[in-house]
Amino acid sequence: MAKSFIRIDDNDHGYALAQFCIPKHYEEDLDHVLIPAGLINDRTERIARDIVEDFGHEPIVGLCVLKGGYKFFTDLVDKIQILNRNSRQSVQLAVDFIRLKSYVKSDFISSSSANVSSTETSLASSIEVIGGDNLENLKGKNVLVVEDIIDTGRTMKQLLELLESVGPKSVKVASLLVKRTKDNVGYRPDYIGFEVPNLFVVGYALDFNEYFRDLTHICVINENGKKKYSTKS
Ligand code: HPA
Ligand code: MG
């Protein structure tokens, strides 16, 4: 049975910034709060329960996709640990990390192919693994990939191909957010926190050019924020 998720409607403008505590340095750069931290926390608790129930007695390896996935990952792991010590059912959990860089096809070919190993080139033509443990360690394991957001789904599809190549026992994906966009390649994760409108969201480790990771709530960036933190001058 497909798991449920919280759908945030296109007409839902969330909460005014003034209703929550926002760091002074970001006050001018955001439009509204889309998902308050408390709601993220409660939804994460339920996803943790679903995971423990689904995996039963099988040990798993949580694979955190850095950097954006780190908050969801640590909170999810905390909640799985709470369940593990408070119930008769528990799931043994190891942790692993991976950092990816995705390229648009054109700049991948022109500027980055020299850095990519031959296996990665053949398996995933536009993602590069730029950090983390050796993927070979996942061979024969039940892997739970933990991601912050699925947008087009392209990065995740390529990551899954790469993971399959090392021969895991199983692979499941938990993504805190899934964006509603017509550009999605048709990929849906196994566990979804929230389905969100096609807007650029930041906070709770999601960034815009490395800014806003230090924002507690998930918010929608405004034009001022995009301009201020743009890498183009
Ligand atoms: N915010 C942050 N990172 C992202 C987004 C987003 O809306 N979409 C894809 N990566
Ligand atoms: Mg991500």
Side-chain angles (χ1 to χ4, degrees):
M1 195 183 76
K3 293 269 185 314
S4 73
F5 52 84
I6 295 176
R7 184 185 190 279
I8 300 179
D9 199 79
D10 287 354
N11 301 319
D12 183 348
H13 299 291
Y15 307 88
L17 299 181
Q19 291 165 336
F20 286 88
C21 297
I22 303 293
K24 182 126 195 80
H25 54 273
Y26 291 139
E27 271 176 357
E28 308 292 310
D29 311 321
L30 300 167
D31 193 78
H32 57 276
V33 175
L34 190 66
I35 314 175
L39 184 56
I40 301 171
N41 180 69
D42 292 332
R43 181 73 191 122
T44 304
E45 184 176 38
R46 178 52 198 258
I47 294 172
R49 194 179 93 179
D50 289 345
I51 289 167
V52 170
E53 285 174 359
D54 290 354
F55 283 88
H57 299 291
E58 296 260 334
I60 59 178
V61 181
L63 179 64
C64 173
V65 184
L66 295 171
K67 298 180 186 174
Y70 97 89
K71 283 290 286 175
F72 181 45
F73 183 76
T74 53
D75 287 346
L76 188 63
V77 166
D78 282 352
K79 296 198 185 301
I80 291 172
Q81 286 180 201
I82 292 169
L83 291 168
N84 279 347
R85 62 178 186 264
N86 289 295
S87 70
R88 300 310 304 159
Q89 185 182 18
S90 69
V91 59
Q92 190 175 28
L93 181 71
V95 298
D96 218 331
F97 298 87
I98 190 168
R99 189 155 170 219
L100 305 171
K101 195 165 169 61
S102 354
Y103 296 93
V104 194
K105 270 260 156 61
S106 57
D107 44 89
F108 182 74
I109 291 161
S110 62
S111 65
S112 313
S113 48
N115 308 331
V116 179
S117 78
S118 57
T119 42
E120 281 160 23
T121 312
S122 60
L123 291 162
S125 60
S126 60
I127 60 166
E128 183 188 355
V129 177
I130 59 167
D133 299 306
N134 189 348
L135 289 180
E136 299 288 333
N137 298 341
L138 301 174
K139 187 177 162 69
K141 302 284 174 65
N142 294 301
V143 180
L144 177 71
V145 180
V146 181
E147 178 62 293
D148 54 351
I149 186 164
I150 305 286
D151 192 320
T152 64
R154 263 186 219 112
T155 302
M156 185 52 67
K157 267 201 151 168
Q158 289 165 358
L159 174 58
L160 292 175
E161 279 177 37
L162 194 61
L163 292 177
E164 283 304 331
S165 73
V166 302
K169 183 172 179 193
S170 71
V171 180
K172 290 221 156 131
V173 177
S175 184
L176 179 63
L177 306 179
V178 170
K179 210 181 262 195
R180 271 193 306 281
T181 161
K182 54 180 177 359
D183 300 326
N184 192 290
V185 293
Y187 176 74
R188 286 300 262 193
D190 302 280
Y191 304 94
I192 300 173
F194 303 86
E195 191 192 73
V196 298
N198 192 8
L199 297 167
F200 203 88
V201 291
V202 292
Y204 194 72
L206 287 105
D207 74 309
F208 176 68
N209 294 330
E210 296 300 329
Y211 292 92
F212 300 102
R213 294 200 204 272
D214 59 331
L215 173 66
T216 312
H217 312 291
I218 293 180
C219 299
V220 175
I221 191 171
N222 67 16
E223 286 309 313
N224 188 57
K226 284 186 195 168
K227 214 157 75 198
K228 185 157 147 195
Y229 297 112
S230 167
T231 50
K232 299 184 199 87
S233 45

